[in-house]
Amino acid sequence: MRTLARFVTTSYKAIIIGWIALFITMAIFAVRLPSLLAGDGFRMDAEHEQVMKIASEKFDLPAETMFVVFDKVNDATISSTLAKIEDLGIVSEIVSPLDHEKQYTNDVSYAMLHFEKNGKDMSGVVTEIRDAIGDEKGIVLTGQSAITKDINSASQRDLMKAEAIGLPIAIIILLLAFGSIVASVVPLLVGVATVISAFGVMALVGGQTDLSIFVLNIVPMLGLALSIDFSLLFISRYREERLKSSVLEACETTIRTAGRSVIFSAFCVFIGLGAMFVIRVEIFQNIALGGMIVVGMAVLSSVTLLPSILIVLGDRLNKGRVLKVKENGSDRWRQFANGVIKRPILITIGALILLGIAVVPVKNMDLAIPQIDSLPASYDTRASYELMDDTFGLGDQSNVYIIAERSGGWSDTDGLKAMKELEEDLSSDPLVDGLTTIFTASGVGSPKEWEQAMQIPEMKAQLEPLLASFIKDDQLLIPVTLQARGTSDEAQQWARDWSDQTDWNLLVGGQPKFNQEIFDEIFDNIGLALLIILGSTFIILMIAFRSILIPLKAILMNIVGLSATFGILVYIFQYGHFGLHPGTIALIIPVIVFSLVFGLSMDYEVFLISRMQEEYAKTFDNDHSTVEGLATTSKIITSAALIMIVLTGAFAFTDVMPVKQIGVGIAIAVAIDATIIRLLLVPSLMKLFGKWNWWMPFRKGEYKAGNWH
């Protein structure tokens, strides 16, 4: 750290010029990021995707289907609307409700638009079709790509709304912390530089890989909060050092102390984010990547750009003073800290009871993959899809696509017999409502009858195209309809069982398989992710503080605090409180909130314990170091936590439900961590464990008179 501190203080002008150049360059790329985002991120390279690719490329099933929903629209308008869409030349097939009575009622009907390909370019397709439809009342385009496009638009709007709410309040908190306008604006400048630079890097990455639309909210949420938090900690320490040394010396000392804390904190956040890479679902990979990029930029800006700005500003940092702020820890916090360590057992028991009550609802947590309910109810795309679903009962059943492979093919006598046996096995399953094979589609009842029919030239001419549509090389396609929603546990278990059975060489695709793979991937790998987070955090904190008990306590307290957070989320979102309708918790929430907050909370742990460690190294008095550490950092930790709560909690006022749940979850977790845990449990447990807080096996030196020397 000494080398870094010396480099920054001697090259601060070049550093500022470099950051200006980087900011301008990355801003050019950053404006392209929204157009590069595609899909909700619930995608993984597994059996479902393999089946759907085979079905699309070999068996001509559409790669994607969208719907045009007609509500109280006459037949002539339906016909003319579909003609306009057909004239665009971008739809491979249109299935009109005028030709299929199952898609038609007197009031509501829908057309299916089939496409040969999907991907990022589908956003432009959606725009073209919507332009062709125009503002015709009662006609709405919906389906996956239309929903994705609208979620992207909602996410951009939500980001602006959250910033409009969060940033002014953050400025007020910074004013209360620093007392001057200049000191309050500097963290915002660093935060903006961090987020824009991270967006630019993400845009470059987005040209090489698919990115989820949710990174548009999560990256700035995390980047702004962390950058401002780091800046708050850094500037507070700098102003403390400036009272007794020159600007350059104060910056050097701050980089060596607060800068060290920032880097250790960032390592903990990195670990939480990096652990998500073991879950092979695109959204976790995207958030891990985006989060690590923005955290890296936050650290870089905090230890290079921020001190360079402080050197340039000098004492002008205190310009525009509007409040008189004490530079040192206040007597009130010192009194509070003394009060806590006088009643450690009572406070510990009380805090644990309070957290335990909050944990109770966790047992009822209902996790689900975000569907159309991610989109705000005000969007016509969602309303029309739900109208179509309710009217025609599309969600009561689910479709599964089975690819069966047999060496030697399926067209000979043995292959036909095997096909019939497979058909009978599937049909006998109580969850199967129907399936389609060459036998069911042709009305030919058995392999023997099929072979006889193929001997008749007229029948052969009719049956060969049917055979070709279900059999390609050694592969057989069997569409199956289940009497269960694709999101249900029964449908997922069905997909799991038929994928695992050994009598047939089968691949299973469709919504039940998609959901099953996502759930299994998360639950199969969450243990490894937790082991990485907990193990690595323990090692880092053990090295940082040269203690066994401190990292162990930090981990246990974080687990308790996060469990309480999830309980409160269930109470708010699942039970339906504070004006919300009862719903489910997005499947990604526990993983993302745990991974992010576990690292973020270590920010406060590192800062608090670092100051206690500094005092303990001087006095070897555990009670004194606990009180002084809490007294000198409580105001900063509280201010930093408030900023984090405001910037993430502002997303509570947004409309995209998974983003709302993530923002609220992080805000609640930080609030619990910065109050009940940091201000009550940490000092209480420090008092209870006494000198053993600083015990480390094989430590050099000896223990004398109650102290380690």
Side-chain angles (χ1 to χ4, degrees):
M1 294 301 295
R2 288 182 180 276
T3 303
L4 175 63
R6 186 62 56 85
F7 169 76
V8 172
T9 54
T10 56
S11 309
Y12 62 92
K13 291 181 180 178
I15 289 171
I16 291 176
I17 293 171
W19 266 99
I20 292 172
L22 178 67
F23 179 84
I24 294 171
T25 304
M26 290 297 102
I28 294 171
F29 290 105
V31 296
R32 298 174 48 233
L33 182 61
S35 65
L36 297 174
L37 305 178
D40 57 13
F42 284 94
R43 174 187 169 275
M44 58 182 292
D45 186 11
E47 190 172 323
H48 161 76
E49 191 154 309
Q50 182 182 352
V51 168
M52 301 315 291
K53 183 177 180 181
I54 293 172
S56 174
E57 294 179 355
K58 282 193 171 186
F59 295 94
D60 299 325
L61 262 67
E64 182 172 343
T65 297
M66 284 194 282
F67 306 91
V68 181
V69 179
F70 302 96
D71 184 14
K72 297 182 177 64
V73 175
N74 60 50
D75 292 0
T77 304
I78 292 174
S79 181
S80 63
T81 300
L82 296 181
K84 291 177 186 176
I85 295 172
E86 187 173 15
D87 289 342
L88 296 174
I90 55 179
V91 181
S92 62
E93 183 185 7
I94 298 177
V95 182
S96 170
L98 302 178
D99 301 326
H100 296 79
E101 61 180 21
K102 289 184 178 180
Q103 299 169 212
Y104 189 94
T105 68
N106 289 332
D107 292 329
V108 181
S109 57
Y110 69 94
M112 292 189 290
L113 310 182
H114 295 319
F115 298 87
E116 293 180 349
K117 60 180 180 178
N118 54 18
K120 293 179 182 178
D121 57 342
M122 290 303 292
S123 175
V125 169
V126 171
T127 300
E128 286 189 64
I129 295 174
R130 284 177 171 170
D131 289 344
I133 294 172
D135 297 326
E136 195 78 40
K137 186 178 180 181
I139 305 176
V140 177
L141 176 71
T142 188
Q144 184 59 52
S145 288
I147 292 166
T148 297
K149 184 176 178 66
D150 284 348
I151 291 178
N152 197 334
S153 299
S155 296
Q156 294 180 54
R157 187 186 66 185
D158 283 354
L159 178 59
M160 290 186 287
K161 184 192 295 185
E163 288 176 346
I165 295 170
L167 288 178
I169 301 175
I171 292 174
I172 294 172
I173 295 170
L174 288 169
L175 277 172
L176 292 173
F178 293 137
S180 76
I181 295 173
V182 174
S184 302
V185 170
V186 169
L188 295 180
L189 294 177
V190 174
V192 170
T194 296
V195 172
I196 296 299
S197 299
F199 269 175
V201 176
M202 289 296 290
L204 293 173
V205 173
Q208 310 299 320
T209 186
D210 292 336
L211 293 176
S212 165
I213 54 181
F214 293 127
V215 302
L216 191 63
N217 297 112
I218 293 172
V219 167
M221 181 195 301
L222 182 61
L224 273 175
L226 265 182
S227 297
I228 295 175
D229 258 14
F230 288 165
S231 298
L232 179 63
L233 303 181
F234 196 97
I235 292 174
S236 297
R237 184 60 185 260
Y238 165 77
R239 295 176 85 179
E240 185 180 326
E241 295 298 329
R242 182 69 183 90
L243 294 174
K244 52 190 178 186
S245 59
S246 67
V247 169
L248 291 179
E249 290 172 341
C251 270
E252 279 197 31
T253 303
T254 304
I255 292 172
R256 292 200 309 268
T257 54
R260 176 177 177 270
S261 297
V262 164
I263 291 173
F264 269 112
S265 300
F267 268 131
C268 293
V269 180
F270 256 75
I271 290 165
L273 291 164
M276 285 194 281
F277 276 116
V278 304
I279 302 174
R280 297 178 303 109
V281 179
E282 193 174 81
I283 189 169
F284 295 118
Q285 310 270 313
N286 285 175
I287 292 174
L289 178 62
M292 292 176 83
I293 288 172
V294 78
V295 170
M297 297 304 298
V299 172
L300 187 62
S301 63
S302 296
V303 298
T304 60
L305 176 61
L306 177 57
S308 299
I309 292 174
L310 295 180
I311 294 171
V312 170
L313 288 174
D315 291 332
R316 290 188 296 262
L317 180 68
N318 298 316
K319 283 271 188 181
R321 184 173 290 279
V322 293
L323 292 171
K324 186 175 181 180
V325 179
K326 291 183 179 180
E327 302 294 341
N328 298 318
S330 69
D331 291 337
R332 284 185 304 167
W333 283 114
R334 191 168 283 103
Q335 290 171 4
F336 172 82
N338 278 308
V340 170
I341 67 169
K342 285 179 182 177
R343 307 171 185 85
I345 296 176
L346 181 63
I347 289 176
T348 299
I349 293 172
L352 291 177
I353 289 173
L354 190 62
L355 293 173
I357 293 170
V359 170
V360 172
V362 170
K363 62 182 174 42
N364 298 320
M365 182 180 284
D366 182 14
L367 299 173
I369 296 174
Q371 304 289 335
I372 194 170
D373 55 355
S374 295
L375 193 63
S378 59
Y379 276 70
D380 289 342
T381 315
R382 173 177 173 176
S384 296
Y385 189 93
E386 290 175 341
L387 174 65
M388 177 181 67
D389 191 1
D390 293 340
T391 303
F392 297 96
L394 301 181
D396 296 335
Q397 296 179 323
S398 55
N399 295 320
V400 174
Y401 300 95
I402 290 179
I403 300 292
E405 191 162 352
R406 180 179 181 272
S407 178
W410 297 90
S411 302
D412 59 12
T413 300
D414 291 338
L416 292 169
K417 289 180 179 178
M419 190 192 310
K420 188 63 179 178
E421 289 176 15
L422 177 56
E423 176 192 313
E424 291 171 350
D425 281 357
L426 287 165
S427 298
S428 64
D429 191 299
L431 204 63
V432 173
D433 186 57
L435 52 78
T436 307
T437 67
I438 59 172
F439 300 114
T440 61
S442 66
V444 177
S446 68
K448 184 176 181 180
E449 291 175 6
W450 178 276
E451 290 183 321
Q452 290 173 348
M454 291 292 283
Q455 302 301 316
I456 304 171
E458 294 82 1
M459 292 293 293
K460 182 177 181 180
Q462 296 177 25
L463 296 177
E464 278 188 335
L466 185 64
L467 189 70
S469 65
F470 284 93
I471 298 173
K472 301 290 184 183
D473 302 322
D474 292 343
Q475 293 178 323
L476 167 71
L477 172 67
I478 303 180
V480 179
T481 302
L482 303 181
Q483 301 181 75
R485 300 182 71 93
T487 55
S488 67
D489 292 339
E490 296 88 352
Q492 292 180 43
Q493 188 59 49
W494 190 95
R496 187 181 293 111
D497 291 342
W498 278 93
S499 288
D500 294 341
Q501 60 78 41
T502 57
D503 294 337
W504 303 95
N505 185 17
L506 304 182
L507 295 174
V508 179
Q511 189 185 16
K513 184 63 180 176
F514 164 79
N515 284 288
Q516 173 254 307
E517 286 178 338
I518 297 291
F519 270 91
D520 286 359
E521 177 65 20
I522 293 173
F523 287 111
D524 289 348
N525 292 289
I526 189 65
L528 177 59
L530 291 176
L531 182 62
I532 292 171
I533 293 172
L534 301 181
S536 301
T537 301
F538 179 84
I539 293 171
I540 287 175
L541 293 182
M542 182 181 68
I543 293 171
F545 299 124
R546 299 174 187 175
S547 166
I548 294 294
L549 275 177
I550 286 175
L552 187 61
K553 287 187 299 179
I555 288 170
L556 291 175
M557 284 187 290
N558 265 8
I559 291 173
V560 172
L562 283 164
S563 298
T565 298
F566 296 141
I568 296 171
L569 283 179
V570 170
Y571 179 81
I572 295 172
F573 291 99
Q574 192 172 312
Y575 294 174
H577 288 91
F578 303 105
L580 295 173
H581 293 292
T584 58
I585 304 297
L587 181 62
I588 59 175
I589 300 302
V591 179
I592 291 176
V593 171
F594 187 95
S595 299
L596 287 177
V597 174
F598 200 91
L600 290 174
S601 63
M602 289 303 168
D603 185 10
Y604 309 127
E605 179 77 10
V606 168
F607 190 64
L608 173 59
I609 302 298
S610 292
R611 292 307 294 265
M612 290 182 182
Q613 186 184 39
E614 284 184 36
E615 292 297 325
Y616 191 77
K618 297 174 185 175
T619 65
F620 290 98
D621 184 333
N622 181 73
D623 287 1
H624 171 78
S625 63
T626 299
V627 170
E628 287 304 307
L630 193 65
T632 55
T633 62
S634 290
K635 179 183 177 181
I636 300 169
I637 288 176
T638 303
S639 299
L642 280 173
I643 288 170
M644 183 76 72
I645 291 166
V646 165
L647 291 176
T648 58
F651 284 86
F653 301 98
T654 60
D655 295 321
V656 178
M657 188 55 68
V659 174
K660 183 195 290 279
Q661 291 181 353
I662 290 172
V664 172
I666 293 174
I668 292 171
V670 171
I672 290 173
D673 185 83
T675 54
I676 297 175
I677 292 178
R678 280 322 134 214
L679 299 182
L680 298 176
L681 276 177
V682 168
S684 296
L685 293 175
M686 290 293 290
K687 168 65 176 179
L688 290 173
F689 285 101
K691 67 180 184 295
W692 295 106
N693 288 302
W694 311 103
W695 177 76
M696 181 75 177
F698 314 113
R699 184 198 294 266
K700 291 183 178 180
E702 58 180 345
Y703 182 77
K704 291 181 180 178
N707 295 318
W708 288 102
H709 294 281

